[in-house]
């Protein structure tokens, strides 16, 4: 009996424990479910709060951006994203779709003056920004046409984008008063009147921005200038404003520059160098007014001299006056193609000689040449020295012409002279030559079949290569050397001339399209440049620059 009671009690206790454990587990599960529900509800509320905060922050940013756009645009809000398309243009003026014209016009943007835009690209965490004007509203919808200047300042050539997208925003810019520019290498300051060249470049631009790079071309040479500083803002307008420009020296000078650099030469101080075959080394020297006066008076002469090592290599020597910076086979004013060492004498009889800066080009004609170049001012040796006995003229002596050498010989010794002359001398029979040579020298006296110039056998190969091989001009004309030099000095449309209106050195271009401009001797550039208007100093009326002299005479009775 006791055993049965104990078993029943144990069973009851066990069932009670199990019920308690199940109840406890149920409470735990309910608590966990309740906690999970609370956490889920808190997470949902936090997410909703974050979304509300993000929306508020986005709205605040949008309001700030709108306010900023309103301020930057002077009350005009225009911001779009377009696909960039390059086009060949000059300056920084872009092409926009016609729809932009309507939108800007509706907001009165055209009443506020010239249009300026901020262009920005955000690509791989690298944001680039520049500014521009507008050229025309002819681009296709969804695209913007960018000239090379704007394209190169926004996009990297090393890492091109598959679809170049540009964000464009209308903006107002202050007029610039100061700009500091830095060329990428030496040589820019050698350009004649380089600030006038910059003024011409800036006339093609509407804006300047910090870190922009300007490309300046001078003939076949180009330079890149980075904008280091602007005033009064980091982006300015350069339209109808006088802006002060400073040019600073490049921070890093390349040991092997990508293009030619003029090294200075002082009178009487030689410089050594080495030039490879087919390449040029360039130097510059200056003739001042006092030296020029002595040269014109005939008391001194300027000598350009180059000495080379006798190792079979050879050079050519070219000299030109600025604005021709880099004289070459095609373009120069003086040249020497003698084999070995060379000397060029610049005397008063040289009509092209004037005060200013001159360039020397040393060309490696054959092999790698070690040379020494120098410029000297040497006294002329014209006239008899004081106390020197004058030589009597042949007119005071009875003379007879030698039948062999055609020289005038005293009659008392003519017979002896002719016997000796006919045995030892020979006259060159080439038309126009008639030079008297020793018999042993006659075999080394040759004439070029093309031009008739007298040469030594060792000089013939170089003469034919230099003077008679056809040369190609950049404008497409093919001529021999002498004709090419004249062509590039007078006729080539790509030659550099000083514009009579802007003062810049520019390509001459073709003849002016206007007949009246052609009659006045204007080039294509001068005809276009002279079409700009300026106020008359006397009456204030706007007159084309090329008609200003006629206006002064016809209206005010003044001669310019």
């Amino acid at each position: 009996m006791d055993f049965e009671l104990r078993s029943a009690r144990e069973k009851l206790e066990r069932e009670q424990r199990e019920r308690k454990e199940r109840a406890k587990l149920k409470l735990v599960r309910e608590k966990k479910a309740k906690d999970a529900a609370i956490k889920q509800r808190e997470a949902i509320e936090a997410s909703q709060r974050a979304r509300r905060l993000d929306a508020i922050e986005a709205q605040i940013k949008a309001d700030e951006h709108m306010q900023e756009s309103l301020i930057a645009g002077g009350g005009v809000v225009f911001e779009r994203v377009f696909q960039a398309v390059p086009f060949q243009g000059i300056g920084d003026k872009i092409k926009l779709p016609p729809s932009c014209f309507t939108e800007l016009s509706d907001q009165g943007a055209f009443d506020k003056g010239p249009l300026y835009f901020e262009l920005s690209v955000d690509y791989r965490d690298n944001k680039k920004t520049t500014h521009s004007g507008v050229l025309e509203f002819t681009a296709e919808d969804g695209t913007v046409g960018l000239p090379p200047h704007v394209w190169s300042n926004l996009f990297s050539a090393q890492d091109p984008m598959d679809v170049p997208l540009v964000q464009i925003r209308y903006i107002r810019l202050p007029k610039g008063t100061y700009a500091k520019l830095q060329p990428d290498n030496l040589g820019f300051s050698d350009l004649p009147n380089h600030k006038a060249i910059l003024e011409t470049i800036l006339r093609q631009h509407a804006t300047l921005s910090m870190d922009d790079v300007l490309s300046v071309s001078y003939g076949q040479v180009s330079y890149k200038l980075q904008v280091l500083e602007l005033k009064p803002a980091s982006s300015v307008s350069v339209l109808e404003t006088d802006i002060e420009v400073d040019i600073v020296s490049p921070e890093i000078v390349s040991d092997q520059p990508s293009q030619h650099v003029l090294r200075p030469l002082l009178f009487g101080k030689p410089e050594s160098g080495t030039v490879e075959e087919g390449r040029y080394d360039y130097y510059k020297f200056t003739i001042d007014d006092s030296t020029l006066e002595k040269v014109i008076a005939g008391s001194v002469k300027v000598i350009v001299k180059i000495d080379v090592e006798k190792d079979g290599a050879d050079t050519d020597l070219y000299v030109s006056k600025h604005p021709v910076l880099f004289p070459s086979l095609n373009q120069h004013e003086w040249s020497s193609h003698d084999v070995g060492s060379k000397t060029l004498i610049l005397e008063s009889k040289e009509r092209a000689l004037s005060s200013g800066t001159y360039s020397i080009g040393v060309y490696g004609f054959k092999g790698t040449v070690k040379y020494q170049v120098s410029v000297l001012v040497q006294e002329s040796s014209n006239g008899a020295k004081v106390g020197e006995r004058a030589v009597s003229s042949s007119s005071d002596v009875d003379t007879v012409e030698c039948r062999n050498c055609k020289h005038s010989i005293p009659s008392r010794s003519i017979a002896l002279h002719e016997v000796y002359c006919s045995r030892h001398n020979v006259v060159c029979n080439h038309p126009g030559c008639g030079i008297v040579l020793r018999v042993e020298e006659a075999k080394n006296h040759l004439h070029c079949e093309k031009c008739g110039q007298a040469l030594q056998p060792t000089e013939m190969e170089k003469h034919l290569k230099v003077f008679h091989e056809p040369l190609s001009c950049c404008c497409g004309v093919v001529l021999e050397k002498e004709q090419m030099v004249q062509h590039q000095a007078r006729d080539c449309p790509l030659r550099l001339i000083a514009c009579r209106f802007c003062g810049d050195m520019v390509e001459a271009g073709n003849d002016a399209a206007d007949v009246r401009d052609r009659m006045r001797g204007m080039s294509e550039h001068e005809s276009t440049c002279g079409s700009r208007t300026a106020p008359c100093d006397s009456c204030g009326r706007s007159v084309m620059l090329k008609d200003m002299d006629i206006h002064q005479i016809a209206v005010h009775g003044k001669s310019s």
Side-chain angles (χ1 to χ4, degrees), residues 274-396:
T274 302
V275 61
E276 298 177 356
E277 182 175 335
R279 299 183 67 87
Y280 286 89
D281 281 353
Y282 286 105
Y283 299 85
K284 64 178 179 179
F285 66 96
T286 301
I287 297 179
D288 56 25
D289 292 333
S290 61
T291 303
L292 180 65
E293 290 177 0
K294 296 178 182 178
V295 174
I296 294 175
S299 59
V300 300
K301 54 188 176 183
V302 178
I303 298 176
V304 180
K305 186 177 181 182
I306 181 169
D307 296 315
V308 300
E309 295 183 358
K310 305 289 186 179
D311 58 355
D314 195 15
T315 63
D316 285 334
L317 180 62
Y318 302 100
V319 178
S320 67
K321 187 179 186 302
H322 291 191
V324 179
L325 291 180
F326 304 109
S328 63
L329 175 64
N330 293 11
Q331 193 174 31
H332 60 267
E333 293 181 59
W334 301 274
S335 66
S336 176
H337 304 280
D338 297 338
V339 177
S341 298
K342 301 165 184 63
T343 299
L344 280 175
I345 301 177
L346 310 183
E347 296 180 295
S348 58
K349 63 182 180 181
E350 301 285 359
R351 288 178 293 177
L353 199 64
S354 60
S355 60
T357 304
Y358 290 75
S359 294
I360 300 173
V362 180
Y363 176 69
F365 179 79
K366 183 179 180 181
T368 300
V369 189
K370 292 183 178 180
Y371 64 88
Q372 191 175 70
V373 62
S374 58
V375 181
L376 309 171
V377 177
Q378 190 176 89
E379 290 186 0
S380 300
S381 57
N382 297 334
K385 296 180 181 178
V386 176
E388 184 178 1
R389 183 176 178 180
V391 179
S392 60
S393 65
S394 60
S395 60
D396 297 335

Side-chain angles (χ1 to χ4, degrees), residues 448-516:
C448 175
E449 296 179 354
K450 295 187 176 183
C451 65
Q453 182 176 339
L455 300 163
Q456 295 287 319
T458 55
E459 299 173 333
M460 183 62 72
E461 180 183 357
K462 181 176 183 179
H463 172 82
L464 292 174
K465 183 175 179 63
V466 171
F467 287 90
H468 299 300
E469 279 193 0
L471 303 173
S472 298
C473 181
C474 297
C475 67
V477 173
V478 178
L479 298 169
E480 289 186 355
K481 186 243 183 189
E482 294 296 334
Q483 291 79 20
M484 180 62 72
V485 172
Q486 296 298 323
H487 166 76
Q488 293 205 347
R490 301 175 184 175
D491 305 322
C492 180
L494 301 181
R495 73 189 187 279
L496 295 179
I497 63 169
C499 175
R500 67 184 77 180
F501 301 113
C502 66
D504 192 9
M505 301 304 302
V506 296
E507 292 181 356
N510 298 314
D511 292 336
D514 191 291
V515 177
R516 294 172 299 174

